Amino acid sequence: LPLYQGGVFLRRIFGKHKQILLFILEQAHSSVERAGLLGGVKLRTLSPDSKRSLRGDTLRAAITEDREKGLIPFYVVATLGTTSSCAFDNLDEIGDVCQDLGVWLHVDAAYAGSAFICPEYRYLMKGIEKADSFNFNPHKWMFVNFDCSAMWLKQPRWIVDAFNVDPLYLKHDQQGSAPDYRHWQIPLGRRFRSLKLWFVLRLYGIENLQKLIRKHIALAHYFEELCIADERFEVVEEVIMGLVCFRLKGDNEINETLLRRINGRGKIHMVPSKIDDCYFLRLAICSRFIEESDVRESWEEIQAAANEVLQ
Ligand SMILES: *Cc1c(COP(=O)(O)O)cnc(C)c1O
């Protein structure tokens, strides 16, 4: 939303022909690219380091270079937990650069954000106080039914002021005493999503939510061990949260066949990804009902499909 508004807003000020830029990591979610298209801004993707993390120096060099060309970099998206492989950008470094150069910093923690309910994972969001906006989706990993996406803004006024229209029929006596969320978003009306979030928080309580997150991460490591123990397989990215990226050693084609076979058998379902032309499978642990036996059975299912494919 800030990206879309920022783009439209800058366009109003600078007109059509000025090049306006925003920065994202290579692995940023496709929704960012879409917001860029809607806002009518140019997008620049930046390469991560060898651990798939966007670093401050890379960002600083890119912003400086583009400013010298007369472009206006205004918005950076840092991802905490990428969709492809759950990698984490270096928020602390990126935050310093954004503050230093006066650029909006948005943090996309759609999936991994739920894990920050556990203190031991908050090191991954070091530097969060430098962000201008932060988003996570309780519908992904906090057991809230689809959809529920929570957005925090450091200074809501910037959003409200960008697009405020206040017709007479929407005026009311309590104006100013509570946030009017219609000014925070593109649609006017909203569903009452906070109620279901509230129920989940009340039902589980913070300790049970923490327990579930910890259990899921432990089960992901369990799956990782099973995977490593079978020498036909390899784990391709570091397992940090509940996502395990793995593949059969060999070419992409055999892994594509494997996934088709697994999903075709109809017992478990996985979604693949590809980084640097390396195709891999992704096992995500996120159900509140999952037990170790489910992970073991999933692994046996994967092994059975692998046996068929490798025959
Ligand atoms: C899933 C995801 C999104 C999009 O989430 P929606 O469920 O479509 O709102 C955005 N960013 C990241 C990093 C994601 O993993």
Side-chain angles (χ1 to χ4, degrees), residues 28-29 31 79-83 108-111 135 137 139-140 146 149:
H29 192 262
S31 54
T79 310
L80 298 182
T82 56
T83 311
D108 178 359
Y111 160 70
N135 182 258
N137 292 354
H139 69 236
K140 280 195 169 164
F146 192 82
S149 192

Side-chain angles (χ1 to χ4, degrees), residues 28 32 138 186 222 230 257 272 276 288 293 300:
V32 179
I186 295 163
Y222 172 58
D230 184 332
T257 311
D276 297 338
R288 66 198 169 108
S293 56
E300 283 161 10

Side-chain angles (χ1 to χ4, degrees), residues 244-262:
V244 186
C245 301
F246 68 102
R247 69 199 300 278
L248 275 173
K249 290 173 186 166
D251 56 19
N252 288 348
E253 207 175 304
I254 196 154
N255 281 288
E256 284 167 30
T257 311
L258 174 65
L259 184 67
R260 258 198 309 276
R261 195 61 71 100
I262 292 168

